[in-house]
Amino acid sequence: MPVFKEAFATAALATVPQEPQQTDFQLVRVKSTWCRIKKGEALSGCEDKITLSEAKISDMQSTKEEQTDFKPCFLTIARGESISEAGISWTIEAPIYFCYKVVETYNILDPANTTLLWGHITDPKQLELATSSNKKLKRFIVIDEVVDELYGSKVREYFKENNVQHKILALPTTEETKSMDLVLKILQEVQNFSIDRRTEPIIAIGGGVCLDIVGLAASLYRRRTPYIRVPTTLLSYVDASVGAKTGVNFLQCKNKLGGYTPPVASFLDRSFIQSIPRRHISNGLGEILKMALMKHKGLFDLLKRHGKYLLDTKFQSCSGCADRGDAALQTTRIAIETMLEELAPNLWEDDLDRLVDFGHLISPELEMRVLPALMHGEAVNIDMAFMTYVAHTRGLITAEEKEQIIQCMRGLELPVWHRGCSWPLIQTALMERLKHSGGQPRMPLPTGLGVAEIFNDTSEETLERAYKLWVRDCKTELEEKPAAL
């Protein structure tokens, strides 16, 4: 045995704990202080209100004989106290509670609609207190510069009419500018404007990049300042606005810096979507299709049946179309509900097995490599198209199901192949996936229409066969030939 291994083994043997002596405690608050009591035991002589916490701190202490000269000057707060010869260590379990709202609204920039002012407040008493206060309202708003050209005058009029002291910062929020430089610019302006970090949320109005950047800035300012998301693109409406992720690109890697800080609220107004180009509608449909393929055949059928109609009407509810129902409303609601089902139990991605990662194994590498040729939803769809061929090659879906999926993608005017998605790029992307997914590929694949599972056993031979079939079937004649295997 090498010397360092032998020494490590000897040290490990020397610190093996003796039979533990464990006591379980509850952590309670009386008046303004937290203290511990034995589990199941009442707090004697106390008439004050007691609050029980779900937080737990378990400690592993040295033996009682060794404690005679060690008198800590703080309370040891513990669920279980175990006595051993190894000294003392603390294991903390601190549940973090988040409550945020995702709200459909209409005409959000109508001064009579107070959603932007009060819609984030969930507690009726807090709402009553806020609306009856004589304190002048202040709001800091970050808006994408393109959105500012379209709606900036309405935004300014909204806050002016409601007598709100406000600062509007218009910025170019694109994948190319999605950086810490922009985050720091926002933070400098927030500092100059001065806001109450608990009662005056920052408002982000724009697409997914804008929402991500502002979310990261808010999470950094005073360690966490509340913020509100107002998505203006279809992609951000069904994706970025409903989750907790914030982030910026770093070292040519997509969203390499970021965190998980949900907004206090996301306000969804589909009327913004009518202002964006048709390609942007298609881009958002890529993320909606992801949820359809992973979780909801009914949503897939809606997209197959009404895809062109949704593109033509830009997701606006139209009267006189009873045969279609309100396809836009149904589609967005199902997409959001299925997304929330997957996100809410796993907001911090503690579980790396995530169906919502479908389309996100290859696409981050592809998107950053070919910027600005592909939009996010387009890159995601190219990834999904390839993975559809992987699923078929593995025998998980039939040839007919594969064809239905590819035809649906084309009907939504989404690309199903790109010359930049070469075999070497796929290999690189999957290696990156292994690095950041606990050594497993965790590959979501459809096992039918609207059902899916996560797989860790797809061989390179299967991937290579799927790649060749995908290129053969999906490469357009106008594109250059992809790099050889």
Side-chain angles (χ1 to χ4, degrees):
M1 179 184 289
V3 174
F4 79 93
K5 286 190 176 180
E6 185 175 355
F8 183 81
T10 304
L13 287 172
T15 59
V16 172
Q18 302 301 313
E19 191 68 28
Q21 302 172 23
Q22 182 163 307
T23 307
D24 292 332
F25 293 91
Q26 291 179 300
L27 185 59
V28 299
R29 183 172 65 185
V30 183
K31 291 187 177 179
S32 299
T33 189
W34 291 96
C35 59
R36 63 174 183 166
I37 60 173
K38 288 184 179 180
K39 189 173 181 181
E41 188 175 85
L43 199 63
S44 59
C46 180
E47 298 178 358
D48 296 294
K49 180 182 176 182
I50 295 175
T51 302
L52 177 65
S53 174
E54 293 182 13
K56 301 165 184 176
I57 305 177
S58 303
D59 68 43
M60 186 80 73
Q61 271 190 357
S62 57
T63 60
K64 289 181 178 178
E65 289 76 9
E66 293 175 347
Q67 290 182 27
T68 53
D69 296 324
F70 178 60
K71 301 294 184 183
C73 59
F74 51 85
L75 268 178
T76 302
I77 305 168
R79 170 185 57 166
E81 182 178 276
S82 299
I83 307 302
S84 75
E85 295 178 352
I88 186 167
S89 64
W90 293 267
T91 301
I92 297 94
E93 296 178 42
I96 301 173
Y97 173 78
F98 266 108
C99 176
Y100 66 102
K101 300 170 70 175
V102 179
V103 181
E104 281 184 347
T105 187
Y106 302 95
N107 298 318
I108 195 170
L109 297 181
D110 181 342
N113 183 343
T114 60
T115 301
L116 263 182
L117 304 180
W118 315 114
H120 63 286
I121 302 176
T122 56
D123 187 311
K125 290 183 179 179
Q126 287 184 359
L127 179 60
E128 183 181 356
L129 190 65
T131 53
S132 62
S133 172
N134 292 325
K135 181 182 176 183
K136 189 176 179 66
L137 285 180
K138 291 181 70 175
R139 292 293 185 270
F140 185 92
I141 304 101
V142 180
I143 187 169
D144 175 82
E145 65 179 12
V146 175
V147 179
D148 188 45
E149 291 176 10
L150 295 168
Y151 297 101
S153 60
K154 284 189 174 183
V155 174
R156 288 165 178 81
E157 184 66 20
Y158 178 90
F159 289 107
K160 181 180 177 182
E161 286 291 314
N162 283 288
N163 194 30
V164 178
Q165 182 183 347
H166 61 280
K167 163 73 176 178
I168 295 177
L169 179 64
L171 293 174
T173 56
T174 65
E175 286 293 340
E176 293 90 331
T177 63
K178 191 179 184 183
S179 67
M180 282 303 297
D181 290 339
L182 218 52
V183 170
L184 294 174
K185 180 176 178 60
I186 293 169
L187 293 175
Q188 181 65 61
E189 295 291 341
V190 170
Q191 175 68 11
N192 293 341
F193 182 66
S194 181
I195 58 173
D196 186 313
R197 64 169 176 159
R198 286 293 173 261
T199 62
E200 295 169 351
I202 298 170
I203 299 174
I205 304 176
V209 173
C210 179
L211 306 189
D212 281 356
I213 292 172
V214 175
L216 181 57
S219 72
L220 293 173
Y221 189 70
R222 301 297 299 272
R223 295 183 175 84
R224 183 167 64 86
T225 296
Y227 71 102
I228 289 168
R229 286 172 167 168
V230 182
T232 59
T233 64
L234 179 61
L235 183 74
S236 59
Y237 189 102
V238 299
D239 186 34
S241 67
V242 301
K245 285 184 178 180
T246 68
V248 294
N249 302 331
F250 181 65
L251 298 178
Q252 288 75 54
C253 295
K254 188 172 176 65
N255 294 328
K256 202 71 169 181
L257 303 179
Y260 301 96
T261 306
V264 287
S266 289
F267 300 135
L268 311 180
D269 184 346
R270 271 187 293 129
S271 64
F272 285 115
I273 299 172
Q274 65 189 313
S275 303
I276 64 176
R278 187 180 181 94
R279 182 183 174 190
H280 287 246
I281 306 289
S282 181
N283 183 54
L285 282 164
E287 287 284 358
I288 295 176
L289 180 60
K290 174 188 76 175
M291 301 313 299
L293 292 175
M294 291 291 96
K295 285 177 63 75
H296 205 291
K297 186 177 184 299
L299 180 56
F300 179 74
D301 292 338
L302 272 171
L303 294 175
K304 275 201 313 177
R305 190 161 60 248
H306 301 304
K308 183 178 184 302
Y309 170 78
L310 292 170
L311 282 162
D312 291 343
T313 59
K314 296 192 172 183
F315 272 78
Q316 303 308 297
S317 299
C318 300
S319 58
C321 300
D323 58 319
R324 298 183 183 276
D326 195 335
L329 188 62
Q330 291 179 59
T331 300
T332 52
R333 281 186 178 175
I334 295 171
I336 288 168
E337 286 168 1
T338 51
M339 179 73 81
L340 288 173
E341 285 173 359
E342 293 297 310
L343 296 183
N346 191 27
L347 207 56
W348 280 263
E349 297 184 11
D350 296 314
D351 183 356
L352 296 176
D353 288 333
R354 306 169 68 246
L355 288 180
V356 293
D357 280 350
F358 184 55
H360 292 72
L361 276 69
I362 311 298
S363 63
E365 189 80 18
L366 173 63
E367 185 179 351
M368 298 304 292
R369 187 78 64 88
V370 302
L371 273 177
L374 287 173
M375 300 176 72
H376 176 69
E378 294 172 335
V380 166
N381 198 76
I382 290 165
D383 186 327
M384 293 193 299
F386 170 60
M387 290 299 170
T388 296
Y389 272 79
V390 173
H392 174 57
T393 303
R394 286 195 54 152
L396 302 175
I397 59 174
T398 66
E400 182 184 352
E401 288 170 331
K402 169 181 70 72
E403 194 58 28
Q404 281 193 60
I405 293 170
I406 298 299
Q407 288 308 314
C408 181
M409 291 172 171
R410 287 184 165 135
L412 300 177
E413 301 179 10
L414 285 161
V416 294
W417 181 81
H418 189 274
R419 64 178 176 270
C421 196
S422 64
W423 177 245
L425 180 138
I426 289 173
Q427 290 177 305
T428 299
L430 291 178
M431 286 301 296
E432 282 297 307
R433 175 73 173 181
L434 287 174
K435 287 181 189 177
H436 304 296
S437 297
Q440 298 282 0
R442 304 179 195 275
M443 185 179 290
L445 294 173
T447 55
L449 298 176
V451 289
E453 293 180 25
I454 294 172
F455 295 88
N456 292 315
D457 59 349
T458 305
S459 68
E460 185 165 351
E461 179 187 359
T462 298
L463 291 167
E464 189 173 332
R465 281 195 291 123
Y467 177 79
K468 289 178 178 178
L469 292 171
W470 174 55
V471 172
R472 183 198 69 187
D473 294 347
C474 295
K475 179 176 71 72
T476 64
E477 294 180 1
L478 296 176
E479 294 281 2
E480 300 171 6
K481 291 182 180 180
L485 293 176

